[in-house]
Amino acid sequence: MKKSRNPKEPPSLPPAKSSSRKEPADTFSFFPRVYELVRQIPKGRVTSYGALAEASGLRITARMVGWAMYAAHTAKPPIPAHRVVNSSGVLSGKDHFATPTLMQELLEQEGIIIKKDKIQDFKTVFWDPVTGKGQTVKQRTKTNKRNSS
């Protein structure tokens, strides 16, 4: 009989595939690189799991970035994990925060508008970790004021 996983326990990773290339000794050696990228996300901006995977320069997937975000609460110094969402702008990681609404509350404090667990105007608040391009909330507000004059 298959035992169901306790939601409080961290999920296990699938077994590594054997290959001729050398793998890092530590399965989680990509976590620090992912955390370094997440710490660079400006306030009022978000990025996606896939964008972080691409920007890492490592051979990792969006799902692996998700595993890193799942363990982010242990990172020192803390990382702004609330700024990482799925590629559609949905708050897919919200259930892993202390309360079901904490991720949304943190994003809204930074000026991001969310409706029904989805970031509104996602393309505007998306920050590309490869190029580091995108505007902060302050920059968007200044631009909007200039354009409305």
Side-chain angles (χ1 to χ4, degrees):
M1 183 163 114
K2 188 173 180 179
K3 183 181 167 187
S4 33
R5 185 179 72 79
N6 178 345
K8 298 288 183 191
E9 292 176 12
S12 59
L13 293 172
K17 295 179 182 175
S18 61
S19 69
S20 58
R21 73 181 181 93
K22 293 193 176 204
E23 294 291 329
D26 179 6
T27 305
F28 300 105
S29 63
F30 65 92
F31 281 29
R33 177 65 182 138
V34 170
Y35 295 160
E36 175 186 326
L37 288 167
V38 174
R39 286 185 184 105
Q40 294 174 25
I41 305 169
K43 285 184 180 181
R45 302 306 306 274
V46 295
T47 196
S48 68
Y49 299 100
L52 289 168
E54 182 181 334
S56 74
L58 306 170
R59 299 179 89 188
I60 62 173
T61 64
R63 184 165 293 195
M64 293 170 78
V65 171
W67 290 116
M69 292 295 92
Y70 184 79
H73 65 282
T74 64
K76 301 286 186 230
I79 64 164
H82 62 284
R83 297 181 189 147
V84 182
V85 297
N86 78 10
S87 61
S88 300
V90 174
L91 310 185
S92 55
K94 72 179 186 138
D95 294 332
H96 300 291
F97 283 76
T99 67
T101 59
L102 181 58
M103 183 178 191
Q104 179 171 336
E105 291 166 8
L106 292 170
L107 288 168
E108 288 174 339
Q109 287 172 10
E110 295 182 7
I112 295 176
I113 300 167
I114 298 160
K115 291 184 182 166
K116 296 183 180 179
D117 295 332
K118 187 170 183 176
I119 294 173
Q120 301 301 291
D121 208 10
F122 179 59
K123 289 182 181 179
T124 303
V125 297
F126 182 81
W127 180 77
D128 185 353
V130 173
T131 63
K133 291 190 179 180
Q135 296 176 328
T136 64
V137 171
K138 278 186 177 178
Q139 290 168 328
R140 283 195 312 275
T141 303
K142 285 179 185 176
T143 302
N144 291 343
K145 284 181 182 176
R146 275 186 290 214
N147 292 339
S148 65
S149 314

